[in-house]
């Protein structure tokens, strides 16, 4: 993944050609090679003029929380899996980089389990297509829930024009205010304050959406993240053919940035007001730095440029081959199950391989707070085959009583993309953070912003 020709990049940069006296090109470090860090590298290299040198540091695997797991020769999404059709950054990058969409076969039927029994079932777990649920919640509740969701998506859409015009935001609440003056308050109020929705709808549908998408309950979540999870329950969701982690790999290739496979331990301010990064036994100086990972306290930052460590939700993902879900465990035949009350799992769902093939034996994905034992799995599933389990620090623990606002800008030329995650975590949110960092870097270094060049797809 090293640059084809760094020398070529330097020689052809307009800074070099236009300068009479030598002007050194800028050098920017991106810490983290997930979708957010690789997209930052892509935007920095393809929209800043003249083009800076970019080094991407990744201590683990490129892709981060986008990863695959293999069962019997088929690959499945282990981390971030679904993309909303209105996630414009993802949609545009996927098209630009020549990747393809994949949609799984529609859900057969989703059952809602309260810990003891299935309380109801629905064949279309989508908020926009809730006609069948109207009998339970009343049509007005559905209408109002959907109207509030569509209003929010409409306001969210404004971010794309705002970012296109080159705006840079120093903190998350300023970015949210630019989309809608109502957004910052939505990150500081409980989901329970959502107006006009029946208690039953809140408990069951809203609770289920939060549990499925973020592994947590409505009581502590913010109104903002609750609507994001409702959007994640809409129709038209898709994924990237071959696996979502193909996007970070394609972004890194199209950025033509250096990949440095090490953990950055420390970021210091250098005497010439640049940044000195330390990794392995090496250190180097950069004009600007972008932190593209949730801050966990293991990266040392200058003492006056801190980001706070915030709690993440630990989630176990279990992929299991089985011929069926044991119907006597649930009291009736089921396929996909979402917990709406006390249950050891958050959700159980049939999944399909990322290449669109159909495996010989069905595979289910389970999300849970604790790691399920083989014995438990064998009582819930029939004829269990291979099992793969992975623990993630998956997404923030959302709590409306804690201020979700956080700074993107930690210091002059030092940005923190994942500040945005405490408002809501999703691939698209990391891309909003990435574009913001590139816009801020352009402003800070006094570089022009341009449209990215069309990609020569044969080169990828
Ligand atoms: C189980 C699960 C399900 C999810 N489902 C969805 C979904 O359906 N749809 C959706 O949109 N989102 C989903 N998400 C969320 C989504 O995956 C994340 O929001 C997104 O992938 C975050 O990307 P990122 O690049 O910001 O961070 P990460 O992917 O966490 O990348 C950060 C990278 O930085 C590296 N790193 C950290 N510190 C250092 C250091 N000091 N030096 C070098 N490298 C470092 C890490 O190794 C990591 O690779 C899900 C997440 C999980 C875990
Ligand atoms: C809500 O937050 C409190 C305090 O952070 C915590 O003790 C409690 O377990 C949380 N409740 C849920 C349902 O997550
Ligand atoms: C299915 O579940 C029932 C009830 O929990 C249990 O008694 C039975 O042993 C399970 N069947 C299998 C095949 O594990
Ligand atoms: C973000 O900016 C707003 C407006 O300038 C300010 O009121 C708020 O305190 C800032 N938040 C943080 C975390 O710095």
């Amino acid at each position: 993944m090293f640059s084809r020709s760094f020398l070529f990049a330097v020689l052809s940069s307009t800074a070099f050609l236009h300068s009479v006296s030598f002007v050194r090109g800028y050098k920017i470090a991106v810490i983290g090679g997930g979708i957010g860090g690789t997209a930052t590298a892509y935007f920095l290299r393809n929209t800043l003029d003249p083009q800076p040198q970019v080094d991407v540091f990744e201590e683990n695997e490129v892709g981060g929380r986008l990863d695959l797991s293999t069962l019997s020769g088929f690959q499945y999404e282990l981390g971030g899996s679904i993309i909303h059709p209105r996630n414009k950054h993802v949609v545009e990058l996927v098209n630009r980089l020549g990747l393809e969409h994949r949609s799984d076969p529609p859900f057969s039927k989703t059952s809602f389990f309260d810990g003891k029994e299935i309380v109801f079932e629905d064949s279309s777990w989508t908020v926009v297509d809730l006609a069948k649920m109207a009998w339970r919640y009343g049509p007005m509740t559905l209408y109002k829930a959907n109207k509030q969701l569509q209003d929010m998506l409409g306001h969210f859409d404004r971010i794309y024009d705002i970012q296109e015009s080159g705006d840079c935001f120093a903190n998350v609440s300023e970015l949210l205010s630019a989309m809608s003056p109502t957004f910052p308050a939505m990150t500081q109020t409980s989901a329970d304050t959502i107006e006009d929705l029946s208690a039953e709808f809140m408990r069951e549908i809203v609770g289920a959406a939060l549990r499925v998408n973020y592994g947590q309950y409505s009581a502590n979540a913010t109104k903002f993240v609750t609507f994001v999870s409702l959007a994640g329950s809409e129709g038209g969701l898709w994924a990237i053919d071959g696996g979502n982690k193909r996007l970070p790999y394609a972004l890194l290739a199209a950025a033509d940035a250096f990949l440095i496979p090490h953990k950055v331990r420390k970021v210091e301010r250098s005497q010439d007001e640049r940044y000195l990064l330390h990794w392995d036994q090496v250190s180097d100086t950069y004009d600007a730095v972008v932190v593209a990972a949730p801050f966990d306290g293991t990266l040392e930052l200058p003492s006056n440029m801190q980001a706070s460590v915030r709690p993440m939700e630990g989630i176990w993902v279990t992929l299991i081959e089985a011929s069926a879900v044991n119907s006597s465990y649930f009291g009736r035949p089921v396929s996909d199950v979402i917990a709406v009350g006390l249950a050891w799992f958050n959700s159980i769902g049939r999944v399909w391989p990322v290449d669109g093939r159909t495996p010989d034996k069905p595979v289910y994905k389970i999300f849970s707070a604790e790691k399920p034992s083989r014995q438990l799995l064998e009582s819930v599933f029939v004829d269990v085959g291979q099992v793969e389990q992975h623990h993630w620090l998956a997404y923030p623990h959302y709590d409306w009583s804690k201020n979700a606002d956080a700074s993107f800008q930690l210091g002059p030329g030092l940005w923190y993309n994942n500040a945005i995650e405490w408002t809501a975590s999703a691939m698209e949110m990391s891309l909003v953070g990435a574009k913001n960092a590139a816009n801020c870097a352009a402003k800070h270094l006094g570089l022009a912003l341009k449209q990215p060049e069309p990609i020569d797809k044969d080169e990828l």
Side-chain angles (χ1 to χ4, degrees), residues 28-48 51-57 93 248-259 290 292 417 430-431 433-435 437-438 441 452:
I28 305 179
V30 176
I31 303 175
I35 188 173
T38 54
T40 303
Y42 172 84
F43 288 130
L44 288 171
R45 294 273 296 164
N46 290 287
T47 67
L48 266 52
Q51 193 181 44
Q53 181 192 325
V54 175
D55 290 354
V56 175
F57 291 87
L93 291 171
Y249 275 96
L251 284 166
L252 192 61
D256 199 9
F258 288 94
L259 175 66
V290 179
N417 285 2
S430 289
L431 294 179
K435 179 66 175 137

Side-chain angles (χ1 to χ4, degrees), residues 217 219-220 397 399 402:
Y217 307 88
N220 286 359
H397 178 78
D399 187 341
K402 309 266 184 336

Side-chain angles (χ1 to χ4, degrees), residues 8-23 50:
F8 175 77
V10 171
L11 290 177
S12 62
S13 79
T14 42
F16 185 86
L17 295 176
H18 293 178
S19 59
V20 182
S21 59
F22 176 76
V23 175

Side-chain angles (χ1 to χ4, degrees), residues 71 317-330 334-337 344-345 347-351 361-368 372-389:
L71 273 89
V317 176
T318 300
L319 285 161
I320 176 171
E321 276 183 318
S323 27
V325 180
N326 176 0
S327 56
S328 18
Y329 187 86
F330 290 102
V334 293
S335 163
D336 297 317
V337 189
W344 63 269
F345 61 87
S347 64
I348 296 176
R350 175 95 192 262
V351 289
K361 194 167 185 171
V363 169
Y364 297 84
K365 188 193 270 180
I366 306 163
F367 288 91
S368 57
S373 66
R374 178 95 194 178
Q375 194 186 2
L376 175 58
L377 295 173
E378 283 179 352
S379 69
V380 180
F381 293 89
V382 180
D383 182 24
V384 174
Q386 274 191 40
V387 175
E388 289 291 336
Q389 293 176 294

Side-chain angles (χ1 to χ4, degrees), residues 66 77 79-85 87 90 102 104 107 212-213 228-229 231-234 236-240 244 365 426-428:
L66 305 183
E77 293 289 358
S81 52
I82 53 166
I83 297 165
H84 193 276
N87 287 170
V90 183
R102 168 180 63 85
D104 287 335
F107 283 116
V212 152
N213 290 300
V228 171
S229 20
S233 315
E234 281 195 303
L237 303 172
W238 58 283
I240 297 171
N244 292 333
K365 188 193 270 180
M427 294 176 235
E428 184 71 3

